[in-house]
Structures are given as C-alpha cells and as structure tokens.
Amino acid sequence: MNDKNTTQFNHENVKVGEETSPTLLRFFRRKWLGIWQSNPPGMGLFVFGLCIAVIMAIPIVYVIWRSLFAGIDRWQRLLDERIPQLLWNTLSLAGAVTVSTMIIGVSLAWIVIRTDIPGKKAWRWLLAMPLTVPPYVGAVTYIIVFGRSGWARDLWQSTPWLVNALGDYSINIYSFGGVFLVLTMFTYPYVYLIASASLRKMNRNYEEAAYSQGMSTSEVFWKVNLPLLRPAIGAGGILVSLYVLGDFGTIAMLRYVTFTAAIYFQRASFDTASAAVLSLVLILLTVAILWIESKTRRKNKYYQTSNTYRKPLTLKLGKWKPFVLFYVSVVFFVSVILPIGVLVYWSRIGIRMGALDGRFFGFAINSLKVSGFAALLCMLFSMPIIYLKGRYPSLITKVIEKLSYAGYALPGVIVALGFVFIFNNHLPRLYGTFYIVALAFVVRFLPQAMQAGEASLSLISPRIDEAARSLGYPPWKVMLKVILPNMLPGVLAGGALVFVSAIKELPATLMLRPPNFDTLAVRVYFEASESIYHLAAPAALLIVLVSVVPLRYMLKKY
C-alpha cells in the first residue's frame, strides 16, 4: 500500500512538473517578447552587444570597487590633506575655462553667422582650426613663447623702455592663468561650432516680432536670441567642462595639479588604492556635472516652428567693423597662427638636425598600429550596438547604449587605471602589450564610431531589414550582409574619428604602454618636458596635420 501511494505521489509530481515547466517558459517568453514589443533580436546579436557593453563598463566598475575597499584611514587622510585642494584646483579651473569659452565661442559664432564681417566664409573655417591642435601641444608652444627663457622674454629684454617702465619679465606660464589661457584657446571651438549651427537655424520671424515691439538690437539678443541659444551653449559648455576635468597633458606640462595629475602620479608611485579613491571622487564630479546639465536642459526648452522658417537677418557692423575684425584676428592669432608657427619653426630646425630618423618613424608606426587597431575594433563593436538600438529599441538596448558611453564621459586616466587593475591582477599575459592600449582606446572612443554609424543607419529604411528577414536571414546576417554595406561610409567616418582621437590620446598611452613602445603623443610629452623642442615639434606637427580629418567631419556635421 505504501509503495502504491508513493508511486502515485511521484506520478502526480511528475505531472505537476511537466505542467509547471511549460507554464514558466511561457511566462518568461511572454515577458521577453513584451520587452522587445514582440520583435526580439537574435540571441547571437543580443549576446554580442551585451558583452561589448559589459567590457566598456568593467574598468569604471573595477575602479569604483577598489576605491570602496581602500580603507577608512586612506580615505580620511586624503579627505583631510589632498581632496579639498584638488577639488578647488579642478573646479575653479573647469568653471573659469567653461565660462570664458562660452563667452568667446558665442561671440565669435554671432559675429561670423549674423554680421557682415569681411571674409565670413573663411572665418567660419579658420576659427574652428584650434580643434586641430591638442591642448598639450598648445601648452608646449606657449611654453616656448612665454616660458622663463622663451621668445617673449627675449623680446621684453631687448626693449629697454619696457624694462624701465614695467621691470623685468614677469609672465608666469606655469600658473593657473597659464593653464586657463591654454585650455580656453584650444577648447572654445566646442561652443563656437554648436552655437554657429543653432544661429544658422534660428527663425527670423521671432526677431522681427521683437523689433515690432520697439526692442533694440541688444534687447533682441538678450531676450530672444540668447534664450534660443541656451541648449547649444549648454551642450558646448558641458563638452568643455568634461574635457577640462579629464585633461592631463596640459596641466602636466604647465605643472598645475588637478585630479587627473594626482591620479597619474599616485599610480606612478604604486599607490593604486589612493589613485582609486581620487578616481571615485572625479567620477562623482563628472556624474554631478552631467546631472546638472540634464536637469537644466529639461527645465529650459525652446521650440521653433519650421513651417514659416526664414533665414536670420545679417546685421551691419558699421563703425564697429574694425574693432570686431581686430578681436577675431587676435583670437585666431593666439589660438592658431602662434602655435602652428612655433611648431613649423622648431620642426624646420629639427629636420635640419636629423629629427626625422628611424626613431621618429618608429614612434609614428607605433601610433599608426595602435590607433588603427583601435579604429578597427570600434567599427566592429559599434555595429551590433547601433543595430540593436535602431532596430530593436527597448529598456535593455538603452542600458547597453549607456554602458557603451561610460568610458567616453570619463577621463582617460581613470579608464587606464581600471585596465591596470584588471589586467595586472587577472590577465597578466595581456598586461604590458599594445593590445591593452588599443582596448583602452576602444573604451574611450567607441561612442564616436557609434554616433557616426547612427547617422547612417537612420537613413536606411527598416523595410529593408523586414525584406531580408522574410527571406530567412537571421538578424546578425541581416546586419552584416544587408545593412552594413549601405551604412559603410558612416562606419568608416566613425573609424576615422576614432583613429585621430587615439593618435592624440596621452594619459591612457602613458599609463598602459609596454616597454619601448612610445607613440608620437608620448614623445611630445617627454621631449617637451626636457625642453628638447626640436625633437618634440615634428611629432606635434604631424599630430596637428592628422587632426584636420575630424575637423572636416565636424564642419560638415555642424
């Protein structure tokens, strides 16, 4: 009897299990289809995109994890001794540079787009050219001109009346003012380009309505134009402030200490726990700035209707034309003519002294190799994320996209520190190879490839995908064989942007490069630090020439 009951009970359990298992499967399948709005991607495509997003986020997560377990004593010591001063140095510099670039960028955009300044088409290109000069290269040229033994001092000493009137040469480029000047002159185009794009799209009807109410030109600017420009100014300002937070080369050249320099030097002294603590504080600063910007953008929204769009008026400068032309010329001279002229001067000396030797070409080949490999990886990794976001929108794809942008919003020194922790402790065979440098570049610059690819995918009708799927193609094959050939120009443009950005990247290369693997950016940093300008200038000039590629892309875009 007991055996019979036991047998009957087991049979009932089996039936219940058989019924429950399909029920659970149906439940999870229904939930899965609901997430994707009944259009889920193939599992292979989804897993590949998810793996890429996880790789992009691992360095940041690892740095945060290490900092949280750095120990109370270390946290307390840094909070008492280092962090307050670093906060002041970093935030004061970021705030000052952001405000100054907003003023310069908006004023130049207004002059070039809205006034009758002579040669306005040429000025539109020329005033964007500081983007071709990495700020650490600009710092080198300013040291050559304004340093303690620079050209400005020689000119000062050769002018007796200046010495008699003002005393000995007193410009100190190694100061807050020097760092502020360099970063302002080479980052204002972020605001200038975006503000120019907004000014070109501004509807003339609003201004004419304001003029009909008796407002003057200045009142129209402050009450009509400026509110409509706020989103553009905010977007440019956030780019500038994030750049200043993450800059290492300029502040290291000019011996000014912010969080990035402190993190680098803590890592150089093998105090990785303190470097992780400082990195966490910098991450929190970055997140806070992004949060403030997003809140401000949500509260200030200004819309224009396009059905009655008319081009904006061109204002006559009249008697102000010489003063405006002088202002524009001074900015152009200080940010373009002066640095490029210095580089050409010292490059000629370097070439005569044999700077273009096998050693120089070795640096160039290393730069090409690691930047080219990073560009290929970015083109490969960007495709599944772009395709998932564009064709399979859901909460999951939004998370994947946000994780993929994690490295772009943070300084290269933090991304590099995360790679140091991961590869040194868990993958030592890869640590000290150029592959780790290329992978760090991918984490830093993958969003550039994604942005260029998204623009191309948006021009391809989803019906093409549907037609391919109806023929039996899985999603990954549709992406590779149908969509990729149609969006190849955008993918290649993104790869080009990554390539030139990787050539200019300094802190990640400094921290992760293997022995005897110096790139052009690294050699510029070391040679300039030793005041060997005839060796630093050719490498710096080559970086500037290569940087013309993204400038052309940005000018087409904006």
Side-chain angles (χ1 to χ4, degrees), residues 96-118:
V97 173
T98 301
V99 171
S100 63
T101 52
M102 285 179 176
I103 295 170
I104 295 174
V106 172
S107 62
L108 292 177
W110 180 266
I111 290 168
V112 170
I113 302 300
R114 298 299 309 275
T115 72
D116 62 342
I117 184 174

Side-chain angles (χ1 to χ4, degrees), residues 207 213 304 487:
E207 297 177 26
Q213 298 297 317
Q304 299 187 79
M487 58 181 293

Side-chain angles (χ1 to χ4, degrees), residues 334-537:
V334 174
S335 61
V336 179
I337 299 295
L338 184 63
I340 292 181
V342 171
L343 291 180
V344 170
Y345 173 83
W346 277 105
S347 294
R348 291 178 61 188
I349 295 175
I351 292 170
R352 287 201 299 266
M353 297 177 67
L356 301 185
D357 54 7
R359 186 166 165 267
F360 172 86
F361 288 109
F363 302 149
I365 290 171
N366 288 343
S367 293
L368 293 174
K369 182 166 69 171
V370 70
S371 301
F373 188 56
L376 287 173
L377 288 178
C378 282
M379 288 188 285
L380 175 65
F381 288 176
S382 65
M383 272 302 301
I385 299 175
I386 294 168
Y387 194 65
L388 282 171
K389 179 189 175 185
R391 297 298 193 252
Y392 301 97
S394 70
L395 178 62
I396 295 177
T397 52
K398 285 183 180 178
V399 172
I400 289 175
E401 183 201 12
K402 296 300 181 185
L403 290 176
S404 301
Y405 273 85
Y408 193 59
L410 294 172
V413 68
I414 293 181
V415 174
L417 189 63
F419 273 79
V420 169
F421 290 153
I422 294 168
F423 287 89
N424 194 27
N425 295 325
H426 305 295
L427 296 168
R429 287 190 178 181
L430 284 176
Y431 188 71
T433 65
F434 91 94
Y435 297 106
I436 187 177
V437 183
L439 194 56
F441 289 167
V442 172
V443 174
R444 286 279 288 126
F445 304 120
L446 178 66
Q448 292 184 350
M450 289 170 57
Q451 288 169 351
E454 283 176 23
S456 295
L457 182 62
S458 65
L459 302 176
I460 301 173
S461 172
R463 293 183 179 180
I464 297 177
D465 307 54
E466 294 169 5
R469 291 291 300 276
S470 69
L471 295 174
Y473 275 32
W476 67 268
K477 191 173 283 188
V478 174
M479 180 187 73
L480 291 178
K481 290 196 171 183
V482 179
I483 301 301
L484 180 59
N486 287 296
M487 58 181 293
L488 194 58
V491 174
L492 293 176
L497 284 174
V498 172
F499 178 80
V500 295
S501 297
I503 278 184
K504 295 189 287 185
E505 174 64 22
L506 180 60
T509 315
L510 274 174
M511 293 177 68
L512 297 174
R513 76 192 194 283
N516 301 318
F517 189 86
D518 285 353
T519 61
L520 292 171
V522 171
R523 291 324 303 173
V524 170
Y525 174 75
F526 282 121
E527 304 289 12
S529 299
E530 299 294 328
S531 299
I532 311 176
Y533 299 128
H534 71 280
L535 295 180

Side-chain angles (χ1 to χ4, degrees), residues 5 14 111 145 200 203 207 255 273 280 386 409 449 479 521 532:
N5 289 338
V14 169
I111 290 168
V145 176
R200 284 197 299 274
N203 198 331
E207 297 177 26
R255 304 170 193 172
L280 179 58
I386 294 168
M479 180 187 73
I532 311 176

Side-chain angles (χ1 to χ4, degrees), residues 231-245:
I233 296 171
I238 203 72
L239 289 176
V240 172
S241 58
L242 290 177
Y243 187 92
V244 175
L245 283 183

